[in-house]
Amino acid sequence: MPINTSFKALLRFAVIGIILSIIIGMDIASVSAYPSPSPSVIYNELKGSLSPDSEVLLASNTNLTDAGFTVRWNAFDAPSYVVYAKPANNDDVKTIVQYASKANVPFLATGGGSGYTNTTAALKGAIGVDLGNFKNISIDATGNRMTVGGGVIFDDIFDPLHAVGKEIQTGSCSCVGMVGATLGGGIGPYQGIHGLLLDALESVTMVTGSGEIVTASKQENSELFWGIRGAGQNFGIVTSATYGVHDQTNNGTALNGDFVYPASAKKSIFELIKSIEKDQPDELSIFPSIMFDFQTKATAIMVSLIYIGPEEKGRSYMKPFIDSSPIRQSVGLLPWNKLIKDNRFGVDAMACAKGGDHAVFGLNVDKFDVATYVSLVDDFDAFYKQNPANILSILVLELFPNRVTRSVPDEETAYPYRDSKGHMFLSFTFQDEAASVVAKEFALKTRSKLVEQGCSKSPLEVYVNYAHGDEGPVAWYSERKLPRLLALKSRWDPKNLFKWTNGLLQ
């Protein structure tokens, strides 16, 4: 993009920020003018205000696992809490939000605990709001509808929904909070036939930053409903969500193919992916990865394919990968309720392990360029050899068909990237600060390379649920959506209480 155009975009966003700061600036200033109370005071205030079935714990003497609270997936650059609260009902959540607002205490709600953006690292001396009591699941099979609590993860819904002959589009990891994934978009392997998860959302019950318990749907608080579908973490805590569900596709099964190839096969494998990607059917999702293979002790390429349709047709897409002499392979039918747990050689269990130190960098995919990804294999190979402490680093591409996603008009929801051809994330796991610095340097270099080579757009565009946290609101929400979102912010969160997770206002 030419420099003058970029400058104009930045200037417009600056003006938006100035306008909103004028709108809500007095409220924000009034909150920050008073010191926060001590942890013991917060504890006693909440303990005396919440219902008997709720729980309140001091962070200083709490083991979250032993206490039955949700542990974060990412322990690196984590928010700092002084008190944990587990509300029992909507009124408890409302009480926490209103108390925190009045007492000038920051807070963050946790559903599945899988968020990893580094924007939450700025959260200090906070109340951790655990939605573990909001785990209800109600299925109306006749009406094709399901309602879940704000603490439900994808794994919770698989068996109950599958048992009544239904399915819904989900993300690619079983441990992710369903509502949290929805609020940012909800991409995944069934996206090609059902669209984004947020497009299945029919209504939510939530406690807003203004301290109200509200319902949002197309019929009620419709403007808020527009905003939460793509930027929902900015407006409140969703305690329940109702979705439309679908009859099972292909008798509730999908054909899955997992393949591992040596780095030397990089050109032929990426050319094969390119030949399919340009005419990718709705039923087929492709997951290419660059990783270190511990069996061969060398850099490798893993490719996973999911075909949601007749087995014979799916095997025609798998055959070229089978014929390409993989080091390992696993091809077979998997039921919908086991698919994302068992595919990719069953990596889901390891990927969902809680409490590790991670850094993740995401980017939207605009073009799959063979030469660029071939060179990235060489980059990763050199990186692994030079930095053995970062051997768990991986690049993952998710190439989902977008015809159904694009069939929903852009103005229907706040989600800004319906035309994206896919998504990429760089995931790093490390043991110390030194390794994290090296990982970040390599990640930023790789991200820049993908943009420079035209594989991703400039300025940056990133699926907000995959954001590292340094990209900014324009990258997360797009310039065209921001004015409407900021107007909603002034109505439903006038004190900017919900700013910690890739906030509209930092």
Side-chain angles (χ1 to χ4, degrees):
M1 179 179 286
I3 293 176
N4 62 333
T5 307
S6 298
F7 177 76
K8 290 178 181 178
L10 290 171
L11 181 61
R12 281 194 294 271
F13 180 62
V15 171
I16 292 168
I18 292 169
I19 292 172
L20 191 66
S21 68
I22 293 172
I23 294 173
I24 68 174
M26 289 185 65
D27 283 335
I28 294 174
S30 65
V31 170
S32 60
Y34 302 98
S36 297
S38 68
S40 61
V41 170
I42 297 171
Y43 170 84
N44 289 324
E45 292 274 0
L46 291 180
K47 193 72 175 174
S49 302
L50 302 182
S51 68
D53 292 330
S54 65
E55 298 177 66
V56 183
L57 302 171
L58 280 169
S60 57
N61 56 6
T62 297
N63 181 298
L64 290 182
T65 301
D66 292 345
F69 278 56
T70 302
V71 177
R72 281 176 59 87
W73 176 74
N74 187 15
F76 185 71
D77 273 348
S80 173
Y81 300 112
V82 294
V83 170
Y84 293 104
K86 184 181 279 190
N89 52 51
N90 287 335
D91 285 333
D92 283 341
V93 177
K94 178 180 177 180
T95 296
I96 293 170
V97 171
Q98 291 181 337
Y99 169 77
S101 175
K102 182 179 180 180
N104 189 31
V105 182
F107 62 92
L108 186 68
T110 297
S114 296
Y116 48 70
T117 175
N118 70 2
T119 62
T120 57
L123 189 65
K124 307 295 183 185
I127 301 170
V129 184
D130 190 302
L131 298 179
N133 286 324
F134 293 82
K135 298 280 282 186
N136 55 295
I137 300 171
S138 175
I139 299 171
D140 174 8
T142 302
N144 285 322
R145 187 167 287 111
M146 175 177 68
T147 299
V148 304
V152 167
I153 63 174
F154 286 129
D155 195 30
D156 294 330
I157 68 163
F158 287 144
D159 290 345
L161 206 52
H162 188 72
V164 295
K166 302 297 178 180
E167 68 188 25
I168 191 171
Q169 56 271 49
T170 72
S172 301
C173 286
S174 67
C175 54
V176 172
M178 184 167 185
V179 170
T182 304
L183 298 181
I187 62 174
Y190 275 67
Q191 181 179 334
I193 57 176
H194 295 318
L196 297 167
L197 181 54
L198 63 75
D199 291 328
L201 188 65
E202 295 184 351
S203 66
V204 301
T205 299
M206 64 187 295
V207 178
T208 68
S210 58
E212 303 167 70
I213 301 174
V214 302
T215 297
S217 67
K218 289 183 178 180
Q219 292 75 38
E220 190 174 357
N221 293 310
S222 58
E223 185 69 2
L224 177 60
F225 190 59
W226 174 87
I228 66 169
R229 289 177 294 165
Q233 63 272 28
N234 287 281
F235 304 107
I237 299 173
V238 174
T239 57
S240 72
T242 297
Y243 300 84
V245 299
H246 316 278
D247 292 334
Q248 290 178 342
T249 306
N250 198 46
N251 297 315
T253 64
L255 182 66
N256 181 76
D258 299 325
F259 308 90
V260 175
Y261 302 93
S264 58
K266 57 195 175 186
K267 188 171 186 294
S268 61
I269 295 303
F270 287 138
E271 286 178 343
L272 176 55
I273 293 170
K274 181 67 175 180
S275 70
I276 300 172
E277 176 263 345
K278 61 184 179 182
D279 295 308
Q280 189 174 351
D282 293 343
E283 299 84 358
L284 182 67
S285 294
I286 310 172
F287 302 79
S289 304
I290 303 171
M291 65 178 193
F292 185 85
D293 179 35
F294 284 89
Q295 292 194 25
T296 61
K297 295 181 172 55
T299 303
I301 301 162
M302 183 170 74
V303 180
S304 292
L305 300 100
I306 297 174
Y307 186 82
I308 308 165
E311 181 179 1
E312 183 178 355
K313 182 66 173 177
R315 287 190 178 273
S316 69
Y317 288 103
M318 308 284 175
K319 188 177 186 304
F321 292 91
I322 296 171
D323 294 344
S324 297
S325 303
I327 300 169
R328 294 190 304 281
Q329 63 176 304
S330 176
V331 180
L333 290 172
L334 291 173
W336 172 82
N337 59 324
K338 304 296 182 186
L339 177 62
I340 67 172
K341 296 171 70 175
D342 293 346
N343 83 320
R344 297 165 294 172
F345 299 103
V347 74
D348 181 75
M350 183 180 72
C352 284
K354 301 270 189 174
D357 287 337
H358 308 279
V360 182
F361 296 76
L363 203 60
N364 290 0
V365 176
D366 190 52
K367 179 180 70 174
F368 184 82
D369 180 66
V370 171
T372 300
Y373 286 100
V374 165
S375 69
L376 285 176
V377 174
D378 295 333
D379 293 346
F380 268 81
D381 187 55
F383 179 70
Y384 293 143
K385 291 174 180 175
Q386 295 166 12
N387 304 283
N390 281 299
I391 210 76
L392 293 175
S393 306
I394 185 170
L395 180 150
V396 178
L397 278 170
E398 296 178 327
L399 302 176
F400 301 130
N402 65 5
R403 183 189 63 83
V404 174
T405 301
R406 288 187 292 108
S407 70
V408 177
D410 176 67
E411 64 272 13
E412 181 74 15
T413 68
Y415 181 76
Y417 297 129
R418 292 182 177 275
D419 60 344
S420 177
K421 294 183 178 179
H423 304 273
M424 180 221 73
F425 61 87
L426 295 153
S427 181
F428 301 87
T429 302
F430 35 75
Q431 302 299 321
D432 55 45
E433 182 70 25
S436 74
V437 172
V438 172
K440 181 177 182 180
E441 181 181 346
F442 179 70
L444 295 177
K445 181 179 178 181
T446 302
R447 190 171 71 181
S448 295
K449 179 175 183 175
L450 287 163
V451 173
E452 290 166 3
Q453 297 298 320
C455 298
S456 299
K457 292 180 180 177
S458 177
L460 289 178
E461 293 183 355
V462 59
Y463 174 45
V464 68
N465 288 353
Y466 285 0
H468 179 66
D470 64 333
E471 305 91 348
V474 171
W476 304 327
Y477 305 114
S478 81
E479 185 183 345
R480 71 185 183 282
K481 304 277 187 174
L482 277 173
R484 190 172 172 184
L485 285 170
L486 291 172
L488 276 173
K489 186 75 168 174
S490 67
R491 163 63 181 91
W492 294 105
D493 184 22
K495 292 186 177 180
N496 198 24
L497 303 178
F498 294 91
K499 65 181 178 180
W500 305 107
T501 304
N502 302 326
L504 287 164
L505 292 171
Q506 298 297 292

